[in-house]
């Protein structure tokens, strides 16, 4: 699987299915392929959230090295400090999810991703993924025989803060599910 910035719900569904085969998150770095060829304008450095105005894309600015052979891997991509993006992303999340049922519950776990710095995008995304898996239930959820990742192609609708205004928006960032459903998030995967 490719790396992702606060990946969408389908990505986490696939990841959990892959991890369940092993029963542990210890193999996470083996499942996520950071040595793949870098692809611009993908979820590797962007995510989508639901806001009062509809869907909003958050993009991590990156610095792509120049190479003579043209083959650049995701693990070579550096995070840029251009545009105060960490502050802007945190403000967007706070504005979009500040009134959601579980924002305050998870804010302290999520905020370090917008206050601390990582040099490489792959490392940053892996840290995010580890934290999201932990918040979803970690190794405990993978060891439960009753847990089966959904094989449905559609995301089961869950409560969304702006659903009355925009209708249900499927397959947003895992943050949307976590901030709106909290500990029950795993039930929608």
């Amino acid at each position: 699987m490719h790396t992702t910035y606060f990946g969408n719900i389908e990505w986490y569904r696939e990841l959990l299915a892959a991890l369940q085969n092993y029963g542990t998150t210890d193999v996470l770095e083996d499942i996520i392929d950071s040595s793949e060829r870098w692809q611009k304008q993908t979820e590797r450095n962007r995510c989508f959230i639901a806001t009062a105005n509809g869907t909003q894309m958050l993009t991590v600015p990156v610095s792509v090295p120049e190479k003579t052979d043209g083959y650049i891997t995701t693990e070579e991509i550096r995070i840029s400090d251009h545009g105060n993006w960490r502050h802007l992303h945190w403000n967007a999340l706070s504005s979009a999810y500040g009134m959601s049922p579980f924002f305050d519950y998870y804010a302290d776990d999520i905020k370090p991703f917008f206050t601390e710095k990582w040099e490489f995008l792959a490392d940053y995304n892996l840290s995010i993924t580890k934290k999201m898996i932990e918040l979803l239930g970690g190794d405990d959820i993978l060891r439960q025989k009753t847990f089966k990742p959904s094989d449905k192609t559609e995301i089961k609708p869950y409560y969304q803060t702006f659903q009355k205004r925009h209708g249900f928006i499927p397959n947003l960032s895992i943050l949307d599910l976590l901030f709106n459903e909290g500990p029950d998030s795993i039930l929608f995967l």
Side-chain angles (χ1 to χ4, degrees):
M1 295 182 69
H2 61 78
T3 183
T4 183
Y5 172 63
F6 288 109
N8 64 40
I9 295 167
E10 287 180 7
W11 188 88
Y12 273 91
R13 182 189 290 169
E14 288 179 33
L15 178 63
L16 287 173
L19 288 172
Q20 188 159 35
N21 290 332
Y22 299 97
T24 181
T25 58
D26 291 342
V27 296
L28 191 60
E29 293 177 48
D30 297 327
I31 292 172
I32 297 175
D33 183 12
S34 296
S35 62
E36 66 166 352
R37 184 179 203 117
W38 168 250
Q39 295 180 34
K40 294 179 184 179
Q41 300 180 357
T42 64
E43 60 275 0
R44 286 156 184 81
N45 68 317
R46 62 178 57 174
C47 70
F48 294 88
I49 63 172
T51 71
N53 296 321
T55 304
Q56 179 180 346
M57 179 175 62
L58 302 177
T59 303
V60 176
V62 296
S63 175
V64 180
E66 290 185 31
K67 294 188 99 173
T68 55
D69 64 2
Y71 188 85
I72 300 166
T73 64
T74 301
E75 63 194 352
E76 296 175 279
I77 303 299
R78 294 179 187 272
I79 297 173
S80 172
D81 285 329
H82 179 73
N84 199 18
W85 68 270
R86 288 175 186 85
H87 177 73
L88 295 173
H89 285 206
W90 182 250
N91 283 350
L93 290 170
S94 297
S95 176
Y97 297 107
M99 298 303 291
S100 66
F102 293 95
F103 179 79
D104 290 338
Y105 184 79
Y106 293 113
D108 289 343
D109 291 307
I110 305 300
K111 191 163 185 177
F113 294 107
F114 304 98
T115 56
E116 298 174 15
K117 292 186 178 184
W118 279 258
E119 184 175 359
F120 291 97
L121 181 66
D123 295 336
Y124 181 55
N125 287 349
L126 183 61
S127 295
I128 289 170
T129 301
K130 287 178 179 179
K131 178 55 76 174
M132 295 300 99
I133 294 294
E134 175 190 323
L135 296 177
L136 290 168
D139 281 348
D140 291 342
I141 196 70
L142 297 174
R143 292 188 189 111
Q144 292 179 9
K145 292 179 182 177
T146 57
F147 171 70
K148 299 254 191 256
S150 174
D151 58 359
K152 298 176 185 175
T153 56
E154 290 186 24
I155 302 298
K156 182 175 141 184
Y158 56 89
Y159 170 82
Q160 290 180 329
T161 306
F162 301 106
Q163 190 167 353
K164 286 184 180 177
R165 189 178 293 182
H166 303 292
F168 178 74
I169 304 171
N171 209 27
L172 294 169
S173 166
I174 192 69
L175 291 173
D176 186 76
L177 178 60
L178 198 63
F179 289 149
N180 286 305
E181 291 294 337
D184 288 341
S185 295
I186 198 69
L187 303 175
F188 295 88
L189 297 171

